[in-house]
Amino acid sequence: MDFVHDVIAWKRDGRELDEPRVRAFVDGVVSGAVPSYQASALLMAMVLRGLSDDETLWLARAMIDSGKLLDLSVLRRPVLDKHSSGGVGDKVTLVLAPLVAACGAVFGKMSGRGLGHTGGTLDKLESIPGFRVQLPQGDFLRQLERIGVAVVSQSERIVPADRLLYALRDVTGTVECNGLIAASIMAKKVASGTSALVLDLKVGRGAFAADLAQAKEIGRLCRAIGTAYGRPTTCLYTAMDAPLGRTVGNRLEVEEAWQVLKGEGPGDVREVTLALAAELLPLADLGLDAAEARARAEAALDDGRAAEHFERWCYVQGGRWQPGEFHRLAAHEVKAPAAGYVTAVDALAVGRAAQLAGAGRRTVDDTVDAAAGVLLERSVGDAVQSGESLAAVFSRDPARRREASTVLETAFTVGPDAPPARRIVLGREDAATAG
Ligand code: URA
């Protein structure tokens, strides 16, 4: 029996791995010496037995060392980044990135694509005709220097181990492990040169963390890795029981982000964006505290500067941004079965409906339809009459439209009484918070 077999058996029996074993596993996955069936077996043992804090840090370290490290120090300014653990209707990066630049700081991000029921920023940006998400490293740096904002796709050479492991986890039911999630998120952030990071950890049905306790555990592990690498990491915990905003689907979400950039749009998207800006901007070289940061960000949304920076950013990255100018697909409406109040909108069901409509991928090789998605006409707390529209699903394909609307119908709960007001920001913890 070979070494990998023994490592799998060791973990299966609930024993802690040591650093050399973790490193041998990661190196073997990258070199191809560890076949995917053995890697999957070890991942499953990790999910079932959990990872200790040390195992999580060793895993992150081995993953970071599997590729190149990007050095952003030539910019001589802190480069800020935020990362979301993934949600439904989460278009916050589209607003926050130009907003941070409009406030005088630098926002640079390597981002991912949507997988499963969660959306990805790159797919949203690519719904703008011409928008280029693949930039050579030199262009990425020059753009940050010139306009203070750039969002690009993850370079193939950064953390190759995560790309391989994440693809396996996605198809073997092994995403849901706090240590694996924390190592995967933080390895990419450390390797891509981020100076200071705010994590938006989503909580609820539409997120990887079902409750606040689990999100806090992922946050604690992420902060420990950030501290080990000298990258101060702040965690914001935000609600993902219902979708964020009223749109789910790539181009629909860009349109909604544009509304928020103009000082309009849904209050929950604005609130999460401002809460993140209040965490991020004090980490820049602007001498702002959290209250000043929030006030500056609010002003930039309301006086048009954030929208102006979004237009400039699109232009420089090749995008031809024309609000409202996209092909509207045929829609199927979901109607209220009774009069009352919307008491819940299940983010997972809405995410799945949007994915079925064509907005998301079923496999990594799938293409997405930029115009497909879901528009929520009513959200939690809204009053509705019997037979009124709750939501519309847009898809090019009538069969997919029908299938998606059947799932979408299950997302809504309508009751006789108005629900209590929802809290969107559920808590925060920074690098100094005891783990
Ligand atoms: N996001 C990541 O980057 N990795 C995970 O494992 C989960 C969410």
Side-chain angles (χ1 to χ4, degrees):
M1 282 302 135
D2 68 357
F3 174 75
V4 191
H5 173 277
D6 292 347
V7 173
I8 297 168
W10 188 268
K11 190 69 209 169
R12 178 202 63 202
D13 295 340
R15 283 178 284 183
E16 189 182 43
L17 298 173
D18 58 11
E19 184 161 22
R21 285 187 169 89
V22 173
R23 188 165 287 271
F25 165 59
V26 172
D27 290 350
V29 168
V30 175
S31 70
V34 175
S36 60
Y37 52 84
Q38 284 190 313
S40 306
L42 184 53
L43 288 169
M44 186 55 85
M46 289 174 168
V47 169
L48 297 177
R49 292 294 187 173
L51 290 178
S52 69
D53 291 9
D54 281 342
E55 287 174 313
T56 302
L57 182 58
W58 293 328
L59 184 63
R61 206 170 263 160
M63 284 167 58
I64 291 164
D65 295 344
S66 73
K68 266 186 56 167
L69 293 185
L70 188 54
D71 182 6
L72 301 177
S73 63
V74 285
L75 292 169
R76 298 182 191 285
R77 291 197 65 190
V79 178
L80 308 181
D81 191 1
K82 84 99 178 146
H83 179 84
S84 157
S85 59
V88 177
D90 183 3
K91 65 274 300 168
V92 168
T93 297
L94 304 175
V95 186
L96 185 67
L99 176 61
V100 165
C103 292
V106 181
F107 187 98
K109 181 168 174 62
M110 293 200 166
S111 209
R113 295 188 184 278
L115 209 52
H117 70 278
T118 65
T121 300
L122 296 184
D123 296 324
K124 296 172 205 200
L125 289 172
E126 282 183 340
S127 74
I128 300 169
F131 200 105
R132 282 180 291 119
V133 295
Q134 263 158 0
L135 290 189
Q137 192 177 316
D139 291 2
F140 177 62
L141 292 172
R142 274 186 290 279
Q143 186 174 318
L144 287 178
E145 193 166 39
R146 198 172 138 212
I147 62 165
V149 53
V151 178
V152 296
S153 68
Q154 185 90 39
S155 151
E156 297 269 304
R157 287 179 294 170
I158 287 176
V159 201
D162 184 63
R163 224 183 3 274
L164 297 165
L165 287 174
Y166 198 90
L168 273 184
R169 288 167 63 209
D170 192 51
V171 293
T172 55
T174 53
V175 171
E176 287 82 0
C177 165
N178 295 343
L180 288 176
I181 293 174
S184 159
I185 292 176
M186 292 306 290
K188 285 175 288 202
K189 292 294 135 182
V190 170
S192 57
T194 309
S195 330
L197 175 66
V198 174
L199 291 180
D200 180 4
L201 292 169
K202 303 286 185 196
V203 183
R205 286 266 301 158
F208 291 118
D211 57 34
L212 187 56
Q214 191 194 350
K216 285 196 165 177
E217 179 55 14
I218 297 172
R220 186 183 68 77
L221 293 167
C222 288
R223 281 180 289 126
I225 299 168
T227 302
Y229 278 89
R231 316 290 166 97
T233 300
T234 302
C235 298
L236 209 64
Y237 302 100
T238 65
M240 189 36 73
D241 48 338
L244 196 60
R246 300 284 178 136
T247 59
V248 181
N250 299 304
R251 180 59 190 239
L252 291 167
E253 292 192 42
V254 181
E255 294 286 336
E256 188 170 65
W258 175 247
Q259 296 304 316
V260 180
L261 281 159
K262 290 192 304 168
E264 301 159 11
D268 56 353
V269 182
R270 180 178 166 104
E271 182 49 37
V272 173
T273 307
L274 288 173
L276 287 165
E279 297 291 348
L280 262 189
L281 290 170
L283 304 173
D285 48 0
L286 303 169
L288 300 176
D289 65 21
E292 290 163 339
R294 184 173 171 117
R296 189 180 286 200
E298 278 176 356
L301 287 179
D302 294 335
D303 67 14
R305 273 176 301 138
E308 207 179 289
H309 275 75
F310 178 83
E311 289 178 314
R312 190 175 307 160
W313 169 35
C314 287
Y315 176 77
V316 172
Q317 258 182 266
R320 296 180 298 281
W321 170 241
Q322 283 296 336
E325 200 172 88
F326 70 106
H327 178 63
R328 279 186 194 277
L329 304 178
H332 188 108
E333 287 198 343
V334 169
K335 306 260 171 77
Y341 293 90
V342 177
T343 54
V345 182
D346 178 357
L348 183 59
V350 177
R352 289 216 172 115
Q355 185 190 5
L356 285 170
R361 291 181 179 74
R362 296 178 209 223
T363 67
V364 255
D365 304 321
D366 255 0
T367 50
V368 296
D369 185 341
V374 170
L375 174 66
L376 302 175
E377 313 271 9
R378 298 283 193 290
S379 196
V380 179
D382 289 347
V384 67
Q385 295 302 317
S386 176
E388 275 183 354
S389 179
L390 291 170
V393 56
F394 302 90
S395 178
R396 229 168 268 279
D397 175 346
R400 292 183 98 172
R401 206 157 52 231
R402 268 193 308 279
E403 201 188 341
S405 62
T406 308
V407 175
L408 191 57
E409 269 164 26
T410 67
F412 286 88
T413 310
V414 176
D417 303 315
R422 265 179 86 224
R423 274 179 65 214
I424 301 297
V425 178
L426 306 172
R428 79 173 286 281
E429 287 173 318
D430 61 25
T433 311

